Amino acid sequence: MNKQVAGVLALFISAAAYGDVSVIDTHVSKEPLMFEVTIENEAPKAVARGYIAARFITPGREVPWVESWEQSYSVPGGIEHGEVYTLELAAPPEIADIRDYEVAAEVFFFSAFSMDRAPLNDDAEFVVAELERHRLESEALQAELDELMENAK
């Protein structure tokens, strides 16, 4: 579901559910160079912030234009339950000069969090679990270091 419009490079991905908050559409404009991500919130809480990762490709070409593009985002006023919102982000500059090729965005990671930092979709839950895992590893390493320092006295 990709299309090229005169002077505008349009990018679309298929609707993909990531829990209660999902990306339902993407689009890139060339002037200004902007990446738009349309988000639908079916979570019980408003979306306040999150993180998105995408790659920019041309179907049939082996090498992506941009392999990994990542942005954190915040949503002034939030996205309330039942709302659809188009988030506007600066697109990667590497795609600014692509003229003769169809370009598509593949969103491969999209996290959404409420104002109180509660995860609102599967990717956000993964982030929380990873942060907790790293915290526990750090605490265990600190405890080992403390013990080594105590034994060295």
Side-chain angles (χ1 to χ4, degrees):
M1 182 164 142
N2 303 310
K3 67 180 181 180
Q4 177 107 19
V5 180
V8 176
L9 183 61
L11 307 181
F12 297 96
I13 61 170
S14 60
Y18 296 89
D20 290 334
V21 181
S22 59
V23 172
I24 59 172
D25 203 4
T26 62
H27 174 351
V28 168
S29 63
K30 298 296 262 180
E31 293 182 26
L33 188 59
M34 189 71 61
F35 181 59
E36 297 174 348
V37 180
T38 303
I39 301 165
E40 182 175 36
N41 182 13
E42 293 300 326
K45 292 186 171 192
V47 174
R49 60 183 41 95
Y51 178 84
I52 189 167
R55 69 179 55 90
F56 294 85
I57 65 165
T58 292
R61 290 183 68 87
E62 187 174 341
V63 178
W65 298 104
V66 177
E67 176 62 33
S68 181
W69 173 85
E70 303 167 2
Q71 285 285 324
S72 60
Y73 64 89
S74 63
V75 183
I79 308 168
E80 297 294 329
H81 171 78
E83 288 183 338
V84 173
Y85 178 84
T86 299
L87 181 65
E88 295 179 346
L89 304 166
E94 297 90 338
I95 66 171
D97 296 326
I98 300 169
R99 301 266 185 257
D100 298 330
Y101 297 96
E102 173 187 358
V103 177
E106 291 181 341
V107 174
F108 58 86
F109 188 86
F110 169 74
S111 64
F113 293 90
S114 68
M115 191 65 182
D116 60 1
R117 299 184 178 170
L120 300 175
N121 63 0
D122 296 340
D123 285 351
E125 289 175 8
F126 172 78
V127 169
V128 170
E130 282 296 295
L131 289 172
E132 179 63 10
R133 184 179 67 77
H134 288 296
R135 184 188 67 76
L136 293 173
E137 285 177 2
S138 294
E139 286 179 359
L141 287 172
Q142 186 62 51
E144 286 179 33
L145 181 59
D146 291 346
E147 184 179 328
L148 288 171
M149 296 300 287
E150 187 64 34
N151 291 337
K153 289 182 183 178

